[in-house]
Structure formats: C-alpha cells, structure tokens
Amino acid sequence: MGINSNRVENFSDPEAPLPPGLAMQMPPPLEVHRVCLPPPKTTVEKLRHRLSEIFFPDDPLHKFKDQAWLRKLILGLQFFFPIFQWAPNYSFKLFKSDVVSGVTIASLAIPQGISYAKLANLPPIIGLYSSFVPPLIYSVLGSSRHLAVGPVSIASLVMGTMLSETVSFNDEPILYLKLAFTATFFAGVFQASLGLLRLGFVIDFLSKATLVGFMAGAAVIVSLQQLKGLLGIVHFTTKMQLVPVLSSVFHHRDEWSWQTIVMGVGFLALLLITRQISMRKPKLFWVSAAAPLASVILSTVLVVCLKSKVYGIKTIGNLPKGLNPPSSNMLYFNGPHLALAIKTGIITGILSLTEGIAVGRTFASLKNYQVDGNKEMMAIGLMNIAGSCSSCYVTTGSFSRSAVNYNAGAQTVVSNIVMAAAVLVTLLFLMPLFYYTPNLILAAIIITAVIGLIDYRAAYKLWKVDKLDFLACLCSFFGVLFISVPLGLAIAVGVSVFKILLHVTRPNTGVLGNIPRTQIYQNLSRYREAIRVPSFLIIAVEAPIYFANSTYLQERILRWIREEEEWLASNNRSNLKCVILDMTAVTAIDTSGIDTINELRKMLEKRSLKLVLTNPVGSVMEKLHQSNILESFGLEGLYLSVGEAVADISSTWKSQP
C-alpha cells in the first residue's frame, strides 16, 4: 500500500529557493476563490426537489407546461394510452408491415404458448389464452413498438416450480389453477404499483450479472426437464434441481421409448439448425420463426399417419375450443395457500418485468425512440391483472418473439393485435387439429427457445471486467442448478446487495500528485508523471461519507498519513505539514461524516498537522456550514481546488519568518 514516489526529487522544501530551470516552468500564482454556499432553500423546497429527483428524474409532465386545457387533455390521453399517440398517423403502409410481422410471430407464439403452459404445469390451452388477451391490452397501454407479448420460459418455470413444491398439479388441478391465476393477479398488482408509484428502481437489484447466471441455470434445468418428453418417460420427478432430474432420467430407463427418442431428437436437430441459420443470416429470420409451427404440423401428421404402427408416443390430447372463459371467480384470496400465491406472484412479476422492459428498451434503442419504464410497468401490470380474470397466467415481452417481430418489419403494436387475431382463429376453429400433436415436439420447442438464454460470452465479459459480478453470476447459476430456482435467485440478489454494501462501506481513497507545469492533481498510482508536493499529503475520497463508512475512512486516512510520514523519514525528505482532503467526489455527507472530519481535524492538530478541505459540492458545503464545523478550520481550511490550496498555503509558509 505504499505511495508512488516517482519524480519526487524534482521538488524541494517550499521554504528553499527553487532551481532556475524549474522556476521558469512553474505556472503563475493562482487567484484564490471563495467557496460559496448553494442558494438558500426552505425545507419544503429541498424535500420537493429531492422527491422530484427520486421519483421523476425524467420530468414526465414537462409537455404539459404552458398548454391550453384542451391540449392538456389530449396530452393526458396520449400519456396514459399511447395508442392515441400513434393511431392518428397510422397508415395502410404501416398496416401491411404489421400484418406480415403479426402473422410471423403468431406462427411462433402458438406452439410456444402451448409449450410454456406445459412448463408451468398448466393445461396447454392456458398458454393460448395467454397469447390472446394480454397482447390486446398491451396494444392500448404499451409504449414499445416491437415488444411481442405472451408467455415466457423463465416466468413459466418459476411459477411451475414454486407452486408445485406445495400443491400437486396432478392431484389438485383445480387448486393449482386457482393459485396460478391468483399469482398472476398479484404479479400484475405488484407491477402496476411499481409503475404508478414510480418505484422502478426496485427491479434494478436484479443486476445484469445476476440475470446472466440465473437465466443460464434456469435454461439448463428447463432443458433437462424436457428429457421427460424427448425420452417418453411417464414417471418423472417434479423437482427442479440438477441431481434429482438426472437421477430420474436414469432411474426410469425402462420407460424410454425409442420411437419417441428418434422423432424427438430429429425435430430438435431441425429446430436447432433453423435457429443457427437465422442467427448467421438475419435476413432469413423467418426460417427459425416458422420452424416451430411447421414442426408441430409435420409431427402431428406423422403421428396420425403412423399411429397404427408406432406406439408409445404421448400426445397433447383434447383442447377445448372457444374464447377465454372468465376466471375472476377462481381467484384465491383466502386460505392456507394465499401467502404462496403472493410470493409466487411477486417473484414472477419481478422477473417478467425485468425481461419485458429490457427487451423493449433494446429494440427501442435500435430504432431511436424512447420507452418509458414506468408506463411499461403499468401496462404489463394491468395486462396481467386483466389476464388473471380471463384464464391467463403471467405474460410479458418475449425476447425471441420480439426479435422476430423486429426482423419481420413491425412498425407499431398493431402486430400484437394481428397476432392475437391469429390466436383467436386458432381458438375458435383449429383446436381439434392439436389432438395428435406429440408432447416431444413441445419439449423440442422449449429446449430450442431456452438454449439462447445461456450467454457464455456475457459470462466471459463479466470475468474480464468485474470479478465480483462474475461471482454473483456463478452464485446465481449454481444456486439454481443445485438448490432451487427461487433460492438461487435470492442468493444472487444477496451477492449483488453485498457488492453495493461493500462499495458503500469500503469506498476508494487515493493519494494525489501534481502533473508538472499544470494545476492538475491526479492519483499517483495511475499517473506515473504525477509527483508529490513537498510537505503536503493530498487524499481524494471517492464516495459519500456516511455513518456506514465514516470510521473506515478515518482509519484509512490516518494510515495514509502514517505511510507518508514513514516514507518521508526513510528518504530524508521535509516533514509533512498539511493534509488536503479532496472532496470533489463526496456527493453527500451525514452527521456521522461531519463528526468524523471534526475528530480527524482535532487529531491532526495535536500532531501539528493542518487539515484542509477542497471543493465540497453544494449539499456537503451546506451541511458543513450548518454544523458550524467550518469555523474551526479557519481562513485556510477551505478551498475551491487543490491547486489553490497548495499555492495559497505554500505562499503563506514562505512569507513566515
């Protein structure tokens, strides 16, 4: 932890005359500026400003300023219902693009909806219901032009895992369905509340590192769970950990069906090949988009044609025709499992919200428009509330379907309406056609969809850039694999919170030196050309000073001073006289921090060392002033910059006899 000593020989004691060559290079004397207080504000004004910065950083109401009441009414409708913003300018040209993209994503949404419902241990028809009502709600309330709404793999997995740990979907199917709808309701309430109260920062605790590990772990578990369908196993574990799943696969080898394996592996290979084709040639996006529906049709035809010759291939069976039946009477608001429904709803709500907003913002940045995160939360929340009352489970924006939607040329959310219309036709007229659809094709579709969640490149980047983020990623990944999906997520969030606490309680500090022939002071360990200023120790604190880190900062500053004095003594340099605390990066301070600075000043005074503060920001300066601590520092205790402090104090020393 030593201090950089390079080029220190260029400085001499400030009381001695400078060499002629160096004197020519020194900058002219600096004018000393007074450190000003921020403009006075009342407590109410401060509170209003602070709340505005916390909850309204984007100033969403700026468009309403200086507008007539009729214009404000129109802007209000556009603000709460984005459909009023784009609908007046909608054209037939845009409609043609939206129809093409809507039909394209419908070909993907129908088989995925059925598959993801099975993943959540729900009847397959629920997946189709969830691909009909929510997209219609989102098309009115959503602000993303490219977000394709429907069931997603991660939320389906988490819901299925959490509910099946307590309630068996085989033994108590009605209760399980009630809990799924109730969890969806609470997910929607939670999401809409975050948007209404502008508390979107809550989901920021799911860091990118956490999600990378969580999604990779979930993708592995989901893929292994699909071995049940690919191998034709009847008695399979309901657990979601790596060891029980693999044990179940090999303990039931007698149930493996070679017909199912051959057909399942063949269609899985076909789907993976089409996925690779679309990834390598984005213009051929339609190949992977159409592949799931084409596989469903082809596998169904094969089963029908070979049903008299091939036995043991399990099929979906009968799916009821008709529109979504109302399910508000099935919401479970009292009973022993209410807490489970609430917990499941909140966790799936957070995950689906994170995925939906991230996907929406990704495609918005590609087309240079903005997605309002809080409005998206309200839109996704309200569509899940409506969905819970119309036989739907948790839905959000799917990355795979949104990518297809974008590549297919979607211009507005009308593509969601077109997709919903295609699902409607399927619900009304085509359901009998799915009777002979084999379960193996659903397993293959799920594996193909979730395999893209394993982002090894992102994990490698985390390792290169931030080892602590990589640790959070690993904790999330292995937690999901070996413990459980919810606990794995909780462990990862805990690691992320620990990282935040570590940065808060153990902030960075560093010793600054002067860049020759300038008034710039930078970290000695970073800039080899920076040199010490004789008799001065300049310490930069790079964090707010709070009760949580004030004791650490005091100990660390005293250590810097001790190391500096030891180095000066061992190199026969001039004694240390002044410690400058650069507060440029100290964005806030509390009473504990103020007390720490005051105690540090008193300790240094007893050792004949002067403590000087430089460049405190407005809020810090105001609190220092109100605490009356500045009076004890005197006229030479507070400066606008490190350069002014060094120049002024040095000139004072020179003028002394």
Side-chain angles (χ1 to χ4, degrees), residues 33 59 85-86 93 141 167 171 247 280 390 438 492 603 619:
H33 298 85
D59 190 17
Q85 193 168 356
W86 55 263
K93 181 180 179 182
L141 301 174
V167 178
D171 299 336
S247 298
R280 294 186 179 182
S390 54
M603 294 171 68
S619 59

Side-chain angles (χ1 to χ4, degrees), residues 71 78 82-95 98 145 411-412 414:
R71 179 60 179 164
Q78 293 176 346
I83 190 172
F84 289 105
Q85 193 168 356
W86 55 263
N89 300 318
Y90 197 69
S91 64
F92 183 71
K93 181 180 179 182
L94 296 176
F95 180 68
D98 288 335
R145 302 173 197 165
Q411 300 297 317
T412 68
V414 170

Side-chain angles (χ1 to χ4, degrees), residues 286-601:
W286 55 270
V287 175
S288 62
L293 185 59
S295 299
V296 167
I297 296 171
L298 182 57
S299 63
T300 303
V301 171
L302 284 175
V303 170
V304 171
C305 294
L306 302 175
K307 64 180 179 179
S308 60
K309 300 179 181 179
V310 178
Y311 300 98
I313 297 180
K314 303 294 185 298
T315 61
I316 293 177
N318 183 55
L319 294 179
K321 291 169 59 177
L323 294 177
N324 301 34
S327 58
S328 55
N329 60 322
M330 297 185 69
L331 296 180
Y332 184 96
F333 290 133
N334 52 55
H337 302 299
L338 179 60
L340 172 65
I342 295 174
K343 182 173 70 172
T344 304
I346 290 176
I347 293 178
T348 55
I350 291 175
L351 288 172
S352 59
L353 201 59
T354 303
E355 181 175 357
I357 292 178
V359 171
R361 285 177 173 166
T362 297
F363 292 105
S365 64
L366 295 177
K367 284 294 185 178
N368 196 28
Y369 68 93
Q370 192 171 1
V371 169
D372 188 323
N374 289 290
K375 283 199 284 188
E376 286 295 285
M377 291 178 197
M378 292 180 64
I380 294 173
L382 290 173
M383 80 179 184
N384 277 319
I385 293 173
S388 68
C389 299
S390 54
S391 300
C392 305
Y393 76 108
V394 174
T395 54
T396 188
S398 163
F399 185 83
S400 59
R401 287 193 293 274
S402 299
V404 170
N405 197 30
Y406 174 83
N407 289 323
Q411 300 297 317
T412 68
V413 288
V414 170
S415 60
N416 275 287
I417 299 175
V418 175
M419 178 189 72
V423 174
L424 173 63
V425 171
T426 304
L427 287 170
L428 293 177
F429 306 109
L430 305 180
M431 299 315 297
L433 300 180
F434 290 98
Y435 184 89
Y436 288 106
T437 300
N439 289 330
L440 61 90
I441 196 62
L442 303 183
I445 289 171
I446 291 175
I447 293 174
T448 307
V450 301
I451 202 169
L453 299 177
I454 304 175
D455 193 349
Y456 62 90
R457 290 189 181 90
Y460 178 67
K461 185 177 180 181
L462 290 174
W463 167 255
K464 286 180 61 179
V465 175
D466 192 323
K467 300 298 188 290
L468 204 54
D469 268 353
F470 183 72
L471 176 63
C473 176
L474 284 184
C475 288
S476 181
F477 179 73
F478 289 113
V480 170
L481 284 184
F482 293 102
I483 304 176
S484 71
V485 174
L487 284 178
L489 183 62
I491 291 171
V493 172
V495 172
S496 298
V497 171
F498 173 75
K499 180 184 176 183
I500 295 172
L501 294 175
L502 193 63
H503 286 312
V504 170
T505 59
R506 295 295 183 267
N508 290 332
T509 59
V511 175
L512 307 184
N514 177 249
I515 305 292
R517 296 178 296 279
T518 72
Q519 291 298 328
I520 298 173
Y521 290 80
Q522 288 292 344
N523 196 301
L524 286 169
S525 63
R526 286 180 59 202
Y527 293 85
R528 300 190 63 81
E529 65 270 28
I531 51 180
R532 281 189 175 90
V533 181
S535 301
F536 288 91
L537 175 62
I538 307 165
I539 302 173
V541 179
E542 301 176 357
I545 304 178
Y546 288 127
F547 67 93
N549 62 19
S550 57
T551 302
Y552 167 79
L553 285 173
Q554 179 177 319
E555 294 172 351
R556 191 66 186 89
I557 290 170
L558 291 174
R559 178 181 167 188
W560 280 122
I561 294 171
R562 187 188 75 243
E563 290 176 349
E564 177 73 3
E565 289 177 332
E566 290 173 354
W567 186 89
L568 292 173
S570 64
N571 289 275
N572 296 318
R573 303 297 181 181
S574 57
N575 293 333
L576 183 64
K577 295 182 180 181
C578 180
V579 177
I580 297 177
L581 207 60
D582 183 7
M583 302 181 71
T584 303
V586 179
T587 55
I589 194 169
D590 65 359
T591 53
S592 297
I594 294 172
D595 291 341
T596 296
I597 290 177
N598 198 29
E599 289 173 13
L600 189 62
R601 180 192 60 80

